[in-house]
Amino acid sequence: MKLSTKIFLAMLLGVIVGSLLNVFSGVTESFIAELSTWLVDSIFDLVGQIFVASLKLLVVPLVFVSLVCGSSAMGANARMGRMAVKTLGLYMLTTALAITLALMLANVINPGEGIELGNAGAYQPTEPPSLKSVLINIFPTNPVKAMVEGNMLQIIVFSILMGVAVTHSGAAGEKALEVFQSFNEVIMKMVAFLMHLAPYGVFCLLAKLFSELGLSAILDLALYFATVALVLVLHAAGVYSLLLNLFTRLNPITFFKNVRPAMLFAFSTASSNATIPVTMNVARERVGVDNGIASFTVPLGATINMDGTAIMQGVATVFISQAYNVDISMGGYLAVIATATLASVGTAGVPGVGLITLSMVLQQAGLPVEGIALIIGVDRLLDMMRTAINVSGDCMVSTVVANGEGLVDKTVFSEVSDRDEYVEG
Ligand code: ASP
């Protein structure tokens, strides 16, 4: 069986087993209830956490090493600058489109009408970071500290500087590059090893989650949930397919088949950051994006490009405004689009942060931040779904940027979805 099929089946099984355990744990004082608690706490949680830790373990060395190789390959010429500008532009554009689509559809579906404001007020808002501090924070004072803290933007800046310096260092630079290239191979091999364990890890993560997830919370917020889900799907199937076709003429269906493993990992971990090793592997080995481009666009995207998150924030804004009966003007909506696009840059690619930066957007719209309490119950599941979209957006932009430079391997792109290329690393 292909590995991607195995991962998919493991996910499905995880959801089923988890949901069954959720039902059983409601039956008190039975042997089965005890058994299910033991299974969840001692087995699923253990394996799931070790799996995510092993994924995260690869992120910093992978990004550092492959971006040094990548940026030295690109050289310190106009190409590097052009690629960076295009990438940033596309990341912003897709996020702005995402939130606009979310606001429009939410205003048609009206998910917040007739909502009871029962338990609102229970949410304690966390202070979102200011734009100025976000910008200053891109520049590292200490690269080791940046790596210890896993600060992706700082690592990106440092690695690019190093890669550019490598190109300009003559013979010494060549030697250094050889070392980096060898390490790059080794780390990709580690990613490949980990992929083999993915079905077990993914199964445990989902079984634990669904054993705790009461489905009743979702039923209460069914319309909100469905609206976010609908916009996520429309954005990926519509906007991404359109942009991909417009800029590259590549087949969107093949594209989504190729990026599926990254989306599955993103869904299971709810973290774009933890998924970086898989996204990078998928971009290179399945979509055919050149390493010079992918090593820059993928970690950057995982850090600043969050279309799915912006969609949740757009629908949540409309939902909360309707629940609290506050009208938002046209100008208010435009400000929400701008704020959510910037909030997406400031949202770290880890679980649940989109909910924190949502407070920025709500404040901008003059809405009560406590409204977040209304939607928190279903956020975990939506977090998984939006992270899958976040990651597929990173891949889409990577493909468009690489194609602009003539750096997409079309043979890999069109043939690989039938093979398990990423297993080989
Ligand atoms: N979990 C999301 C991600 O990692 C961020 C969020 O929306 O909370 O991409």
Side-chain angles (χ1 to χ4, degrees), residues 270-272 306 309 347-354 383 386-387 390:
S271 166
S272 315
M306 312 268 165
T309 304
T347 305
V350 291
V353 184
D383 195 3
R386 67 181 180 249
T387 308
N390 289 345

Side-chain angles (χ1 to χ4, degrees), residues 297-322:
T297 52
V298 168
L300 184 71
T303 315
I304 69 164
N305 182 46
M306 312 268 165
D307 295 359
T309 304
I311 286 170
M312 176 279 284
Q313 295 182 339
V315 177
T317 304
V318 174
F319 177 81
I320 291 170
S321 79
Q322 290 174 346

Side-chain angles (χ1 to χ4, degrees), residues 50-258:
I50 291 178
F51 176 66
V52 174
S54 329
L55 266 180
K56 285 188 187 159
L57 142 95
L58 293 172
V59 172
V60 171
L62 175 69
V63 170
F64 174 54
V65 172
S66 71
L67 192 48
V68 171
C69 294
S71 57
S72 64
M74 299 289 279
N77 50 25
R79 196 184 201 185
M80 183 83 196
R82 191 175 60 214
M83 177 191 81
V85 170
K86 262 195 211 166
T87 309
L88 281 172
L90 279 168
Y91 278 156
M92 295 291 197
L93 173 76
T94 47
T95 309
L97 287 174
I99 169 102
T100 309
L101 189 66
L103 291 174
M104 282 179 357
L105 277 170
N107 268 301
V108 173
I109 299 176
N110 297 324
E113 268 175 13
I115 286 289
E116 303 277 332
L117 288 177
N119 62 348
Y123 180 77
Q124 279 294 331
T126 323
E127 197 57 33
S130 77
L131 182 62
K132 184 179 160 195
S133 70
V134 168
L135 288 179
I136 293 178
N137 252 323
I138 296 176
F139 297 90
T141 51
N142 178 341
V144 179
K145 182 161 171 262
M147 291 185 194
V148 170
E149 291 173 350
N151 186 322
M152 217 43 69
L153 291 180
Q154 296 191 349
I155 299 174
I156 290 175
V157 168
F158 179 69
S159 317
I160 290 180
L161 274 177
M162 183 121 164
V164 170
V166 161
T167 338
H168 284 88
S169 303
E174 273 168 33
K175 268 192 223 151
L177 187 58
E178 257 176 46
V179 175
F180 274 106
Q181 278 168 341
S182 308
F183 264 114
N184 199 18
E185 294 276 312
V186 173
I187 295 173
M188 289 312 277
K189 191 48 98 188
M190 288 174 81
V191 176
F193 287 156
L194 198 63
M195 299 270 204
H196 283 292
L197 301 178
Y200 309 100
V202 164
F203 167 79
C204 288
L205 282 175
L206 292 186
K208 158 141 199 300
L209 187 74
F210 276 81
S211 74
E212 290 163 353
L213 221 61
L215 283 181
S216 59
I218 295 178
L219 287 182
D220 289 344
L221 287 167
L223 201 53
Y224 165 73
F225 188 93
T227 310
V228 178
L230 175 74
V231 184
L232 287 174
V233 171
L234 284 182
H235 184 67
V239 176
Y240 289 169
S241 301
L242 224 81
L243 289 179
L244 193 74
N245 201 271
L246 193 74
F247 287 121
T248 69
R249 301 254 154 255
L250 291 169
N251 184 338
I253 296 176
T254 316
F255 169 79
F256 280 108
K257 268 192 190 164
N258 290 353

